[in-house]
Amino acid sequence: MTQGSRLYFAVTVLMCAFVSINGVGLNDLLERASQLSDKLHSLSTSLTNDLDSHFPPVGRVMMPRPSMCHTSSLQIPNDKDQALKIPEDELLSLARSLLLAWSDPLALLSSEASSLAHPERNTIDSKTKELQDNINSLGAGLEHVFQKMGSSSDNLSSLPFYTSSLGQDKTSRLVNFHFLLSCFRRDSHKIDSFLKVLRCRAAKKRPEMC
């Protein structure tokens, strides 16, 4: 079994774990969510490596700055110590807001992947569709976590994505695809970190153990 196949199998198992959750405790839900978020980040890293294998040098020059990511306006903790100081319901809202913000961008990436000017486009196309499916599964799982936590507020930040095209020429499309993916990879790491802090708190571990 290849590395990609193993990753796909592991993520599929985790997705199925969210299907039947009646009676599942908060700790177990957060454990499943953090495992799935970890797989999402691993998959986005694998995709980035695929793109980097044949990425034109001019693409590095054309690449927008990280501050141009559509989620950059969201105020989030910079590190684990800051995250540990944020109330659980706010931390969960941040993770859910980031997930929601990637619904449209990932749909765009999924629609564009198969026509990229890249020798690994078939692999990229397959993994991008996995990302889209898996983030939907994680989003549904976090809805159950939200219900289990019994929060009285549901403050999700709106992070609209206005781009409907990656560009007209093949280089621009490849560069913008890579840029969006790099933004997602950064955000998937944040989501993973937030969920691991929530899991740690639910298990009542000492902060230094998180």
Side-chain angles (χ1 to χ4, degrees):
M1 184 180 292
T2 65
Q3 180 180 0
S5 298
R6 288 195 298 270
L7 179 59
Y8 178 76
F9 176 76
V11 171
T12 300
V13 170
L14 287 168
M15 289 173 65
C16 291
F18 275 126
V19 173
S20 300
I21 64 165
N22 290 334
V24 177
L26 178 60
N27 286 15
D28 287 337
L29 283 175
L30 285 170
E31 177 66 29
R32 296 176 188 182
S34 63
Q35 288 180 20
L36 185 51
S37 66
D38 184 69
K39 294 299 181 182
L40 273 175
H41 183 59
S42 296
L43 186 56
S44 65
T45 299
S46 176
L47 253 172
T48 300
N49 292 336
D50 291 335
L51 281 167
D52 284 341
S53 66
H54 292 84
F55 196 67
V58 68
R60 307 294 177 188
V61 180
M62 296 172 60
M63 187 82 74
R65 299 184 304 275
S67 60
M68 299 297 290
C69 294
H70 75 289
T71 56
S72 293
S73 62
L74 185 64
Q75 298 298 311
I76 61 173
N78 293 320
D79 52 38
K80 185 182 72 173
D81 289 338
Q82 290 185 11
L84 285 167
K85 298 176 183 177
I86 296 179
E88 285 87 347
D89 57 346
E90 292 184 22
L91 207 55
L92 180 59
S93 290
L94 286 174
R96 292 171 66 214
S97 294
L98 283 174
L99 277 175
L100 184 63
W102 278 101
S103 178
D104 290 341
L106 280 180
L108 176 61
L109 291 181
S110 182
S111 68
E112 295 275 357
S114 63
S115 58
L116 284 178
H118 195 287
E120 298 294 330
R121 62 178 172 271
N122 289 337
T123 298
I124 293 170
D125 181 36
S126 176
K127 290 182 180 179
T128 302
K129 286 180 170 56
E130 285 181 48
L131 274 183
Q132 189 177 16
D133 290 341
N134 297 339
I135 201 171
N136 290 338
S137 178
L138 180 57
L142 292 189
E143 288 300 313
H144 292 297
V145 171
F146 172 74
Q147 294 168 15
K148 283 284 185 180
M149 288 178 64
S151 176
S152 59
S153 62
D154 191 14
N155 296 321
L156 297 181
S157 300
S158 176
L159 299 164
F161 179 73
Y162 298 110
T163 303
S164 59
S165 171
L166 294 181
Q168 299 301 316
D169 62 274
K170 63 181 182 180
T171 300
S172 294
R173 291 175 64 240
L174 186 60
V175 168
N176 289 325
F177 190 100
H178 196 307
F179 170 66
L180 265 182
L181 182 62
S182 69
C183 292
F184 176 76
R185 181 169 176 261
R186 183 191 68 171
D187 286 347
S188 68
H189 178 66
K190 295 173 184 175
I191 292 167
D192 188 45
S193 298
F194 298 163
L195 293 181
K196 282 180 169 55
V197 168
L198 286 172
R199 180 186 63 181
C200 186
R201 284 180 170 179
K204 301 187 183 305
K205 293 183 179 179
R206 296 169 60 89
E208 60 269 21
M209 300 297 292
C210 295

